Amino acid sequence: MKNIHNRRDFLKKSAYGTFAGIAGVGFLSGCTEKSEEEEEISPAEDLMREHGVLNRILLIYDHYKTQLGQNADLSLAPLLQSATIIRRFVEDYHEKLEEDFLFPRFEKAGNLTDLVSVLKDQHKAGRILTDQILNLSKAKTLTATDAKKLIQLLNGFVVMYRPHEAREDTVLFPALKKIVSSHEYSALGEDFEKKEHQLFGEDGFETMVNRVSEIEKQLNIYDLAKFTFGAQ
């Protein structure tokens, strides 16, 4: 990354030294804007990295499934925080983008309509699961019946969303560029960014990643090395 930034700085300085006397500062400004545009995240990449946040919460759900199954005495506060991120960031924002901007375009184009139909049904089912997970994770203590129910809910969410996000990443998102123009594709990226900033601030994605990291640290599952096969 250091080499890339150094090269970028060199190109900017060279452009200024060569052309500033002819085109003035406006030329350099134009180069900067173009560079920023080239570094923008595409709609597909934006959605896929948000899936990364979802996947990390699925690992948190896995952790709670295991602990609850072992009758462990654990705080439900991190689970409540995780389910709240699912509600606000995944369902109310990420999935809303898919439902408002992606699914209608595929339906209008008559492309992957069967897949879109299933994805929409799973969004609805996911929100029902999240309602119940939020409700149970607010309890100070869980009865044995409630703990069993919570395990079932967490498992249902994980089992549904792992293939859900994988199918979107490998089939739906790559197909988007085939049904929209290059201009429309770029405009979608700008729409996504505006919505993210509107709801979560300028560093919305980074904020969510940091929140998930803090939850992982609370649960002692942040260290990636712990997931290495054969690690003690």
Side-chain angles (χ1 to χ4, degrees), residues 31-66:
C31 287
T32 303
E33 290 174 2
K34 183 177 181 181
S35 176
E36 290 174 352
E37 289 175 0
E38 290 174 350
E39 294 175 11
E40 286 180 358
I41 296 172
S42 72
E45 183 181 354
D46 199 9
L47 294 168
M48 289 171 73
R49 70 177 190 164
E50 288 163 8
H51 276 174
V53 174
L54 168 60
N55 234 322
R56 288 175 71 166
I57 295 181
L58 295 184
L59 290 173
I60 293 171
Y61 280 11
D62 279 337
H63 173 79
Y64 268 92
K65 283 165 44 187
T66 301

PDB file of all heavy atoms in Angstrom, residues 31-66:
ATOM      1  N   CYS A  31      -7.710  16.017 -11.622  1.00  0.00           N
ATOM      2  CA  CYS A  31      -6.981  14.759 -11.443  1.00  0.00           C
ATOM      3  C   CYS A  31      -7.316  14.133 -10.105  1.00  0.00           C
ATOM      4  O   CYS A  31      -7.478  12.922  -9.979  1.00  0.00           O
ATOM      5  CB  CYS A  31      -5.479  14.991 -11.517  1.00  0.00           C
ATOM      6  SG  CYS A  31      -4.869  15.325 -13.189  1.00  0.00           S
ATOM      7  N   THR A  32      -7.418  14.992  -9.062  1.00  0.00           N
ATOM      8  CA  THR A  32      -7.727  14.481  -7.736  1.00  0.00           C
ATOM      9  C   THR A  32      -9.106  13.852  -7.715  1.00  0.00           C
ATOM     10  O   THR A  32      -9.312  12.785  -7.156  1.00  0.00           O
ATOM     11  CB  THR A  32      -7.659  15.621  -6.702  1.00  0.00           C
ATOM     12  OG1 THR A  32      -6.367  16.208  -6.747  1.00  0.00           O
ATOM     13  CG2 THR A  32      -7.941  15.084  -5.301  1.00  0.00           C
ATOM     14  N   GLU A  33     -10.085  14.533  -8.357  1.00  0.00           N
ATOM     15  CA  GLU A  33     -11.440  13.997  -8.389  1.00  0.00           C
ATOM     16  C   GLU A  33     -11.472  12.669  -9.116  1.00  0.00           C
ATOM     17  O   GLU A  33     -12.146  11.730  -8.701  1.00  0.00           O
ATOM     18  CB  GLU A  33     -12.378  14.996  -9.063  1.00  0.00           C
ATOM     19  CG  GLU A  33     -12.619  16.245  -8.224  1.00  0.00           C
ATOM     20  CD  GLU A  33     -13.430  17.276  -8.976  1.00  0.00           C
ATOM     21  OE1 GLU A  33     -13.826  16.979 -10.122  1.00  0.00           O
ATOM     22  OE2 GLU A  33     -13.671  18.355  -8.427  1.00  0.00           O
ATOM     23  N   LYS A  34     -10.738  12.566 -10.211  1.00  0.00           N
ATOM     24  CA  LYS A  34     -10.720  11.321 -10.977  1.00  0.00           C
ATOM     25  C   LYS A  34     -10.106  10.203 -10.153  1.00  0.00           C
ATOM     26  O   LYS A  34     -10.587   9.075 -10.157  1.00  0.00           O
ATOM     27  CB  LYS A  34      -9.920  11.512 -12.270  1.00  0.00           C
ATOM     28  CG  LYS A  34      -9.924  10.267 -13.161  1.00  0.00           C
ATOM     29  CD  LYS A  34      -9.196  10.523 -14.456  1.00  0.00           C
ATOM     30  CE  LYS A  34      -9.210   9.285 -15.355  1.00  0.00           C
ATOM     31  NZ  LYS A  34      -8.485   9.494 -16.616  1.00  0.00           N
ATOM     32  N   SER A  35      -9.030  10.533  -9.410  1.00  0.00           N
ATOM     33  CA  SER A  35      -8.385   9.521  -8.583  1.00  0.00           C
ATOM     34  C   SER A  35      -9.336   9.014  -7.522  1.00  0.00           C
ATOM     35  O   SER A  35      -9.403   7.825  -7.244  1.00  0.00           O
ATOM     36  CB  SER A  35      -7.139  10.113  -7.928  1.00  0.00           C
ATOM     37  OG  SER A  35      -6.539   9.200  -7.047  1.00  0.00           O
ATOM     38  N   GLU A  36     -10.093   9.938  -6.921  1.00  0.00           N
ATOM     39  CA  GLU A  36     -11.051   9.543  -5.895  1.00  0.00           C
ATOM     40  C   GLU A  36     -12.134   8.664  -6.477  1.00  0.00           C
ATOM     41  O   GLU A  36     -12.582   7.704  -5.859  1.00  0.00           O
ATOM     42  CB  GLU A  36     -11.661  10.783  -5.242  1.00  0.00           C
ATOM     43  CG  GLU A  36     -10.666  11.556  -4.366  1.00  0.00           C
ATOM     44  CD  GLU A  36     -11.253  12.839  -3.847  1.00  0.00           C
ATOM     45  OE1 GLU A  36     -12.370  13.183  -4.292  1.00  0.00           O
ATOM     46  OE2 GLU A  36     -10.618  13.499  -3.012  1.00  0.00           O
ATOM     47  N   GLU A  37     -12.604   8.984  -7.685  1.00  0.00           N
ATOM     48  CA  GLU A  37     -13.635   8.184  -8.328  1.00  0.00           C
ATOM     49  C   GLU A  37     -13.136   6.769  -8.594  1.00  0.00           C
ATOM     50  O   GLU A  37     -13.864   5.803  -8.434  1.00  0.00           O
ATOM     51  CB  GLU A  37     -14.076   8.846  -9.630  1.00  0.00           C
ATOM     52  CG  GLU A  37     -14.885  10.106  -9.426  1.00  0.00           C
ATOM     53  CD  GLU A  37     -15.204  10.797 -10.737  1.00  0.00           C
ATOM     54  OE1 GLU A  37     -14.782  10.285 -11.792  1.00  0.00           O
ATOM     55  OE2 GLU A  37     -15.864  11.838 -10.705  1.00  0.00           O
ATOM     56  N   GLU A  38     -11.866   6.660  -8.999  1.00  0.00           N
ATOM     57  CA  GLU A  38     -11.304   5.348  -9.303  1.00  0.00           C
ATOM     58  C   GLU A  38     -11.191   4.484  -8.062  1.00  0.00           C
ATOM     59  O   GLU A  38     -11.192   3.263  -8.138  1.00  0.00           O
ATOM     60  CB  GLU A  38      -9.931   5.514  -9.964  1.00  0.00           C
ATOM     61  CG  GLU A  38     -10.008   6.084 -11.369  1.00  0.00           C
ATOM     62  CD  GLU A  38      -8.627   6.386 -11.943  1.00  0.00           C
ATOM     63  OE1 GLU A  38      -7.645   6.331 -11.185  1.00  0.00           O
ATOM     64  OE2 GLU A  38      -8.553   6.666 -13.143  1.00  0.00           O
ATOM     65  N   GLU A  39     -11.107   5.119  -6.874  1.00  0.00           N
ATOM     66  CA  GLU A  39     -10.963   4.389  -5.635  1.00  0.00           C
ATOM     67  C   GLU A  39     -12.315   4.076  -4.999  1.00  0.00           C
ATOM     68  O   GLU A  39     -12.366   3.442  -3.949  1.00  0.00           O
ATOM     69  CB  GLU A  39     -10.099   5.188  -4.661  1.00  0.00           C
ATOM     70  CG  GLU A  39      -8.650   5.339  -5.123  1.00  0.00           C
ATOM     71  CD  GLU A  39      -7.853   6.238  -4.199  1.00  0.00           C
ATOM     72  OE1 GLU A  39      -8.349   6.565  -3.110  1.00  0.00           O
ATOM     73  OE2 GLU A  39      -6.740   6.617  -4.575  1.00  0.00           O
ATOM     74  N   GLU A  40     -13.412   4.527  -5.597  1.00  0.00           N
ATOM     75  CA  GLU A  40     -14.726   4.255  -5.045  1.00  0.00           C
ATOM     76  C   GLU A  40     -15.014   2.761  -5.062  1.00  0.00           C
ATOM     77  O   GLU A  40     -14.598   2.029  -5.954  1.00  0.00           O
ATOM     78  CB  GLU A  40     -15.809   4.997  -5.844  1.00  0.00           C
ATOM     79  CG  GLU A  40     -15.838   6.492  -5.572  1.00  0.00           C
ATOM     80  CD  GLU A  40     -16.910   7.191  -6.376  1.00  0.00           C
ATOM     81  OE1 GLU A  40     -17.591   6.503  -7.166  1.00  0.00           O
ATOM     82  OE2 GLU A  40     -17.073   8.401  -6.229  1.00  0.00           O
ATOM     83  N   ILE A  41     -15.756   2.320  -4.055  1.00  0.00           N
ATOM     84  CA  ILE A  41     -16.119   0.910  -3.943  1.00  0.00           C
ATOM     85  C   ILE A  41     -17.332   0.639  -4.817  1.00  0.00           C
ATOM     86  O   ILE A  41     -18.300   1.397  -4.815  1.00  0.00           O
ATOM     87  CB  ILE A  41     -16.422   0.571  -2.476  1.00  0.00           C
ATOM     88  CG1 ILE A  41     -15.162   0.758  -1.634  1.00  0.00           C
ATOM     89  CG2 ILE A  41     -16.934  -0.857  -2.347  1.00  0.00           C
ATOM     90  CD1 ILE A  41     -15.398   0.626  -0.157  1.00  0.00           C
ATOM     91  N   SER A  42     -17.285  -0.438  -5.577  1.00  0.00           N
ATOM     92  CA  SER A  42     -18.397  -0.789  -6.460  1.00  0.00           C
ATOM     93  C   SER A  42     -19.591  -1.256  -5.634  1.00  0.00           C
ATOM     94  O   SER A  42     -19.425  -1.678  -4.477  1.00  0.00           O
ATOM     95  CB  SER A  42     -17.977  -1.887  -7.431  1.00  0.00           C
ATOM     96  OG  SER A  42     -17.846  -3.119  -6.746  1.00  0.00           O
ATOM     97  N   PRO A  43     -20.802  -1.215  -6.194  1.00  0.00           N
ATOM     98  CA  PRO A  43     -21.988  -1.685  -5.465  1.00  0.00           C
ATOM     99  C   PRO A  43     -21.843  -3.117  -4.970  1.00  0.00           C
ATOM    100  O   PRO A  43     -22.185  -3.422  -3.830  1.00  0.00           O
ATOM    101  CB  PRO A  43     -23.111  -1.558  -6.503  1.00  0.00           C
ATOM    102  CG  PRO A  43     -22.643  -0.518  -7.451  1.00  0.00           C
ATOM    103  CD  PRO A  43     -21.158  -0.658  -7.516  1.00  0.00           C
ATOM    104  N   ALA A  44     -21.316  -3.998  -5.835  1.00  0.00           N
ATOM    105  CA  ALA A  44     -21.170  -5.405  -5.444  1.00  0.00           C
ATOM    106  C   ALA A  44     -20.185  -5.553  -4.291  1.00  0.00           C
ATOM    107  O   ALA A  44     -20.434  -6.286  -3.324  1.00  0.00           O
ATOM    108  CB  ALA A  44     -20.717  -6.237  -6.640  1.00  0.00           C
ATOM    109  N   GLU A  45     -19.055  -4.847  -4.374  1.00  0.00           N
ATOM    110  CA  GLU A  45     -18.055  -4.941  -3.307  1.00  0.00           C
ATOM    111  C   GLU A  45     -18.613  -4.382  -2.007  1.00  0.00           C
ATOM    112  O   GLU A  45     -18.355  -4.919  -0.916  1.00  0.00           O
ATOM    113  CB  GLU A  45     -16.791  -4.176  -3.704  1.00  0.00           C
ATOM    114  CG  GLU A  45     -15.672  -4.287  -2.670  1.00  0.00           C
ATOM    115  CD  GLU A  45     -14.437  -3.495  -3.062  1.00  0.00           C
ATOM    116  OE1 GLU A  45     -14.400  -2.952  -4.178  1.00  0.00           O
ATOM    117  OE2 GLU A  45     -13.513  -3.424  -2.226  1.00  0.00           O
ATOM    118  N   ASP A  46     -19.371  -3.304  -2.106  1.00  0.00           N
ATOM    119  CA  ASP A  46     -19.974  -2.695  -0.930  1.00  0.00           C
ATOM    120  C   ASP A  46     -20.882  -3.696  -0.220  1.00  0.00           C
ATOM    121  O   ASP A  46     -20.800  -3.894   0.998  1.00  0.00           O
ATOM    122  CB  ASP A  46     -20.777  -1.459  -1.359  1.00  0.00           C
ATOM    123  CG  ASP A  46     -21.050  -0.522  -0.202  1.00  0.00           C
ATOM    124  OD1 ASP A  46     -20.486  -0.727   0.883  1.00  0.00           O
ATOM    125  OD2 ASP A  46     -21.844   0.417  -0.373  1.00  0.00           O
ATOM    126  N   LEU A  47     -21.752  -4.353  -0.990  1.00  0.00           N
ATOM    127  CA  LEU A  47     -22.677  -5.320  -0.415  1.00  0.00           C
ATOM    128  C   LEU A  47     -21.937  -6.541   0.139  1.00  0.00           C
ATOM    129  O   LEU A  47     -22.310  -7.079   1.195  1.00  0.00           O
ATOM    130  CB  LEU A  47     -23.698  -5.759  -1.466  1.00  0.00           C
ATOM    131  CG  LEU A  47     -24.670  -4.669  -1.938  1.00  0.00           C
ATOM    132  CD1 LEU A  47     -25.435  -5.128  -3.169  1.00  0.00           C
ATOM    133  CD2 LEU A  47     -25.640  -4.285  -0.822  1.00  0.00           C
ATOM    134  N   MET A  48     -20.889  -6.966  -0.550  1.00  0.00           N
ATOM    135  CA  MET A  48     -20.156  -8.158  -0.127  1.00  0.00           C
ATOM    136  C   MET A  48     -19.378  -7.917   1.166  1.00  0.00           C
ATOM    137  O   MET A  48     -19.274  -8.802   2.016  1.00  0.00           O
ATOM    138  CB  MET A  48     -19.229  -8.627  -1.245  1.00  0.00           C
ATOM    139  CG  MET A  48     -19.978  -9.223  -2.426  1.00  0.00           C
ATOM    140  SD  MET A  48     -18.944  -9.557  -3.875  1.00  0.00           S
ATOM    141  CE  MET A  48     -18.043 -10.997  -3.294  1.00  0.00           C
ATOM    142  N   ARG A  49     -18.823  -6.719   1.333  1.00  0.00           N
ATOM    143  CA  ARG A  49     -18.093  -6.469   2.579  1.00  0.00           C
ATOM    144  C   ARG A  49     -19.078  -6.334   3.749  1.00  0.00           C
ATOM    145  O   ARG A  49     -18.728  -6.663   4.895  1.00  0.00           O
ATOM    146  CB  ARG A  49     -17.195  -5.234   2.451  1.00  0.00           C
ATOM    147  CG  ARG A  49     -17.910  -3.909   2.360  1.00  0.00           C
ATOM    148  CD  ARG A  49     -16.921  -2.758   2.305  1.00  0.00           C
ATOM    149  NE  ARG A  49     -17.594  -1.482   2.442  1.00  0.00           N
ATOM    150  CZ  ARG A  49     -16.979  -0.343   2.739  1.00  0.00           C
ATOM    151  NH1 ARG A  49     -15.673  -0.343   2.922  1.00  0.00           N
ATOM    152  NH2 ARG A  49     -17.650   0.788   2.843  1.00  0.00           N
ATOM    153  N   GLU A  50     -20.297  -5.882   3.465  1.00  0.00           N
ATOM    154  CA  GLU A  50     -21.330  -5.876   4.503  1.00  0.00           C
ATOM    155  C   GLU A  50     -21.707  -7.301   4.886  1.00  0.00           C
ATOM    156  O   GLU A  50     -22.045  -7.575   6.043  1.00  0.00           O
ATOM    157  CB  GLU A  50     -22.541  -5.084   4.017  1.00  0.00           C
ATOM    158  CG  GLU A  50     -22.275  -3.592   3.960  1.00  0.00           C
ATOM    159  CD  GLU A  50     -23.272  -2.807   3.124  1.00  0.00           C
ATOM    160  OE1 GLU A  50     -24.285  -3.398   2.688  1.00  0.00           O
ATOM    161  OE2 GLU A  50     -23.049  -1.599   2.905  1.00  0.00           O
ATOM    162  N   HIS A  51     -21.630  -8.213   3.925  1.00  0.00           N
ATOM    163  CA  HIS A  51     -21.820  -9.631   4.237  1.00  0.00           C
ATOM    164  C   HIS A  51     -20.737 -10.118   5.198  1.00  0.00           C
ATOM    165  O   HIS A  51     -20.965 -11.046   5.979  1.00  0.00           O
ATOM    166  CB  HIS A  51     -21.794 -10.471   2.958  1.00  0.00           C
ATOM    167  CG  HIS A  51     -23.114 -10.527   2.270  1.00  0.00           C
ATOM    168  ND1 HIS A  51     -23.287 -11.126   1.039  1.00  0.00           N
ATOM    169  CD2 HIS A  51     -24.337 -10.074   2.638  1.00  0.00           C
ATOM    170  CE1 HIS A  51     -24.561 -11.023   0.677  1.00  0.00           C
ATOM    171  NE2 HIS A  51     -25.203 -10.385   1.633  1.00  0.00           N
ATOM    172  N   GLY A  52     -19.558  -9.516   5.120  1.00  0.00           N
ATOM    173  CA  GLY A  52     -18.494  -9.870   6.048  1.00  0.00           C
ATOM    174  C   GLY A  52     -18.880  -9.558   7.487  1.00  0.00           C
ATOM    175  O   GLY A  52     -18.597 -10.329   8.408  1.00  0.00           O
ATOM    176  N   VAL A  53     -19.544  -8.417   7.682  1.00  0.00           N
ATOM    177  CA  VAL A  53     -20.045  -8.064   9.017  1.00  0.00           C
ATOM    178  C   VAL A  53     -21.082  -9.092   9.463  1.00  0.00           C
ATOM    179  O   VAL A  53     -21.051  -9.576  10.606  1.00  0.00           O
ATOM    180  CB  VAL A  53     -20.661  -6.647   9.009  1.00  0.00           C
ATOM    181  CG1 VAL A  53     -21.305  -6.346  10.353  1.00  0.00           C
ATOM    182  CG2 VAL A  53     -19.594  -5.600   8.680  1.00  0.00           C
ATOM    183  N   LEU A  54     -21.998  -9.428   8.566  1.00  0.00           N
ATOM    184  CA  LEU A  54     -23.009 -10.438   8.867  1.00  0.00           C
ATOM    185  C   LEU A  54     -22.349 -11.756   9.257  1.00  0.00           C
ATOM    186  O   LEU A  54     -22.742 -12.396  10.249  1.00  0.00           O
ATOM    187  CB  LEU A  54     -23.917 -10.643   7.653  1.00  0.00           C
ATOM    188  CG  LEU A  54     -24.858 -11.853   7.680  1.00  0.00           C
ATOM    189  CD1 LEU A  54     -25.812 -11.786   8.859  1.00  0.00           C
ATOM    190  CD2 LEU A  54     -25.633 -11.951   6.363  1.00  0.00           C
ATOM    191  N   ASN A  55     -21.345 -12.172   8.498  1.00  0.00           N
ATOM    192  CA  ASN A  55     -20.699 -13.451   8.760  1.00  0.00           C
ATOM    193  C   ASN A  55     -20.033 -13.484  10.122  1.00  0.00           C
ATOM    194  O   ASN A  55     -20.027 -14.516  10.802  1.00  0.00           O
ATOM    195  CB  ASN A  55     -19.667 -13.740   7.667  1.00  0.00           C
ATOM    196  CG  ASN A  55     -19.888 -15.089   7.021  1.00  0.00           C
ATOM    197  OD1 ASN A  55     -20.248 -16.052   7.683  1.00  0.00           O
ATOM    198  ND2 ASN A  55     -19.669 -15.158   5.717  1.00  0.00           N
ATOM    199  N   ARG A  56     -19.473 -12.375  10.531  1.00  0.00           N
ATOM    200  CA  ARG A  56     -18.833 -12.329  11.850  1.00  0.00           C
ATOM    201  C   ARG A  56     -19.878 -12.435  12.957  1.00  0.00           C
ATOM    202  O   ARG A  56     -19.622 -13.036  14.016  1.00  0.00           O
ATOM    203  CB  ARG A  56     -17.986 -11.056  11.984  1.00  0.00           C
ATOM    204  CG  ARG A  56     -16.728 -11.121  11.129  1.00  0.00           C
ATOM    205  CD  ARG A  56     -15.931  -9.836  11.142  1.00  0.00           C
ATOM    206  NE  ARG A  56     -15.259  -9.596  12.408  1.00  0.00           N
ATOM    207  CZ  ARG A  56     -14.304  -8.683  12.568  1.00  0.00           C
ATOM    208  NH1 ARG A  56     -13.908  -7.951  11.540  1.00  0.00           N
ATOM    209  NH2 ARG A  56     -13.734  -8.510  13.741  1.00  0.00           N
ATOM    210  N   ILE A  57     -21.056 -11.902  12.719  1.00  0.00           N
ATOM    211  CA  ILE A  57     -22.113 -12.043  13.719  1.00  0.00           C
ATOM    212  C   ILE A  57     -22.654 -13.472  13.729  1.00  0.00           C
ATOM    213  O   ILE A  57     -23.041 -13.994  14.780  1.00  0.00           O
ATOM    214  CB  ILE A  57     -23.234 -11.022  13.473  1.00  0.00           C
ATOM    215  CG1 ILE A  57     -22.686  -9.601  13.691  1.00  0.00           C
ATOM    216  CG2 ILE A  57     -24.423 -11.274  14.414  1.00  0.00           C
ATOM    217  CD1 ILE A  57     -23.687  -8.505  13.497  1.00  0.00           C
ATOM    218  N   LEU A  58     -22.651 -14.121  12.574  1.00  0.00           N
ATOM    219  CA  LEU A  58     -23.044 -15.525  12.553  1.00  0.00           C
ATOM    220  C   LEU A  58     -22.103 -16.357  13.427  1.00  0.00           C
ATOM    221  O   LEU A  58     -22.527 -17.322  14.076  1.00  0.00           O
ATOM    222  CB  LEU A  58     -23.051 -16.063  11.119  1.00  0.00           C
ATOM    223  CG  LEU A  58     -24.077 -15.442  10.156  1.00  0.00           C
ATOM    224  CD1 LEU A  58     -24.026 -16.151   8.803  1.00  0.00           C
ATOM    225  CD2 LEU A  58     -25.483 -15.484  10.724  1.00  0.00           C
ATOM    226  N   LEU A  59     -20.823 -15.996  13.465  1.00  0.00           N
ATOM    227  CA  LEU A  59     -19.875 -16.681  14.342  1.00  0.00           C
ATOM    228  C   LEU A  59     -20.213 -16.422  15.815  1.00  0.00           C
ATOM    229  O   LEU A  59     -20.053 -17.310  16.661  1.00  0.00           O
ATOM    230  CB  LEU A  59     -18.447 -16.223  14.050  1.00  0.00           C
ATOM    231  CG  LEU A  59     -17.851 -16.684  12.723  1.00  0.00           C
ATOM    232  CD1 LEU A  59     -16.495 -16.018  12.483  1.00  0.00           C
ATOM    233  CD2 LEU A  59     -17.696 -18.198  12.692  1.00  0.00           C
ATOM    234  N   ILE A  60     -20.678 -15.217  16.101  1.00  0.00           N
ATOM    235  CA  ILE A  60     -21.114 -14.906  17.470  1.00  0.00           C
ATOM    236  C   ILE A  60     -22.343 -15.738  17.821  1.00  0.00           C
ATOM    237  O   ILE A  60     -22.446 -16.290  18.929  1.00  0.00           O
ATOM    238  CB  ILE A  60     -21.413 -13.396  17.605  1.00  0.00           C
ATOM    239  CG1 ILE A  60     -20.122 -12.588  17.457  1.00  0.00           C
ATOM    240  CG2 ILE A  60     -22.090 -13.096  18.951  1.00  0.00           C
ATOM    241  CD1 ILE A  60     -20.332 -11.089  17.364  1.00  0.00           C
ATOM    242  N   TYR A  61     -23.257 -15.868  16.881  1.00  0.00           N
ATOM    243  CA  TYR A  61     -24.435 -16.712  17.102  1.00  0.00           C
ATOM    244  C   TYR A  61     -24.007 -18.162  17.328  1.00  0.00           C
ATOM    245  O   TYR A  61     -24.562 -18.860  18.192  1.00  0.00           O
ATOM    246  CB  TYR A  61     -25.376 -16.623  15.903  1.00  0.00           C
ATOM    247  CG  TYR A  61     -26.264 -15.383  15.872  1.00  0.00           C
ATOM    248  CD1 TYR A  61     -26.063 -14.315  16.738  1.00  0.00           C
ATOM    249  CD2 TYR A  61     -27.315 -15.292  14.963  1.00  0.00           C
ATOM    250  CE1 TYR A  61     -26.867 -13.190  16.702  1.00  0.00           C
ATOM    251  CE2 TYR A  61     -28.139 -14.180  14.925  1.00  0.00           C
ATOM    252  CZ  TYR A  61     -27.915 -13.127  15.785  1.00  0.00           C
ATOM    253  OH  TYR A  61     -28.737 -12.024  15.744  1.00  0.00           O
ATOM    254  N   ASP A  62     -23.039 -18.637  16.564  1.00  0.00           N
ATOM    255  CA  ASP A  62     -22.514 -19.993  16.753  1.00  0.00           C
ATOM    256  C   ASP A  62     -21.964 -20.159  18.172  1.00  0.00           C
ATOM    257  O   ASP A  62     -22.169 -21.194  18.822  1.00  0.00           O
ATOM    258  CB  ASP A  62     -21.395 -20.288  15.750  1.00  0.00           C
ATOM    259  CG  ASP A  62     -21.916 -20.692  14.379  1.00  0.00           C
ATOM    260  OD1 ASP A  62     -23.065 -21.164  14.276  1.00  0.00           O
ATOM    261  OD2 ASP A  62     -21.163 -20.524  13.385  1.00  0.00           O
ATOM    262  N   HIS A  63     -21.245 -19.142  18.630  1.00  0.00           N
ATOM    263  CA  HIS A  63     -20.663 -19.181  19.966  1.00  0.00           C
ATOM    264  C   HIS A  63     -21.759 -19.329  21.021  1.00  0.00           C
ATOM    265  O   HIS A  63     -21.636 -20.161  21.945  1.00  0.00           O
ATOM    266  CB  HIS A  63     -19.860 -17.902  20.211  1.00  0.00           C
ATOM    267  CG  HIS A  63     -19.355 -17.760  21.613  1.00  0.00           C
ATOM    268  ND1 HIS A  63     -18.246 -18.431  22.076  1.00  0.00           N
ATOM    269  CD2 HIS A  63     -19.822 -17.017  22.670  1.00  0.00           C
ATOM    270  CE1 HIS A  63     -18.035 -18.109  23.354  1.00  0.00           C
ATOM    271  NE2 HIS A  63     -18.979 -17.260  23.725  1.00  0.00           N
ATOM    272  N   TYR A  64     -22.810 -18.541  20.889  1.00  0.00           N
ATOM    273  CA  TYR A  64     -23.907 -18.608  21.870  1.00  0.00           C
ATOM    274  C   TYR A  64     -24.650 -19.934  21.793  1.00  0.00           C
ATOM    275  O   TYR A  64     -25.078 -20.476  22.815  1.00  0.00           O
ATOM    276  CB  TYR A  64     -24.868 -17.435  21.677  1.00  0.00           C
ATOM    277  CG  TYR A  64     -24.494 -16.251  22.541  1.00  0.00           C
ATOM    278  CD1 TYR A  64     -23.658 -15.262  22.062  1.00  0.00           C
ATOM    279  CD2 TYR A  64     -24.950 -16.140  23.852  1.00  0.00           C
ATOM    280  CE1 TYR A  64     -23.290 -14.187  22.847  1.00  0.00           C
ATOM    281  CE2 TYR A  64     -24.591 -15.070  24.649  1.00  0.00           C
ATOM    282  CZ  TYR A  64     -23.766 -14.097  24.142  1.00  0.00           C
ATOM    283  OH  TYR A  64     -23.396 -13.047  24.943  1.00  0.00           O
ATOM    284  N   LYS A  65     -24.819 -20.468  20.609  1.00  0.00           N
ATOM    285  CA  LYS A  65     -25.447 -21.782  20.466  1.00  0.00           C
ATOM    286  C   LYS A  65     -24.686 -22.827  21.273  1.00  0.00           C
ATOM    287  O   LYS A  65     -25.278 -23.633  22.004  1.00  0.00           O
ATOM    288  CB  LYS A  65     -25.471 -22.207  18.995  1.00  0.00           C
ATOM    289  CG  LYS A  65     -26.526 -21.550  18.148  1.00  0.00           C
ATOM    290  CD  LYS A  65     -26.253 -21.753  16.665  1.00  0.00           C
ATOM    291  CE  LYS A  65     -25.851 -23.172  16.316  1.00  0.00           C
ATOM    292  NZ  LYS A  65     -25.429 -23.298  14.907  1.00  0.00           N
ATOM    293  N   THR A  66     -23.366 -22.801  21.157  1.00  0.00           N
ATOM    294  CA  THR A  66     -22.522 -23.772  21.867  1.00  0.00           C
ATOM    295  C   THR A  66     -22.605 -23.571  23.374  1.00  0.00           C
ATOM    296  O   THR A  66     -22.793 -24.527  24.135  1.00  0.00           O
ATOM    297  CB  THR A  66     -21.062 -23.648  21.403  1.00  0.00           C
ATOM    298  OG1 THR A  66     -20.988 -23.889  20.000  1.00  0.00           O
ATOM    299  CG2 THR A  66     -20.175 -24.634  22.142  1.00  0.00           C
TER     300      THR A  66
END
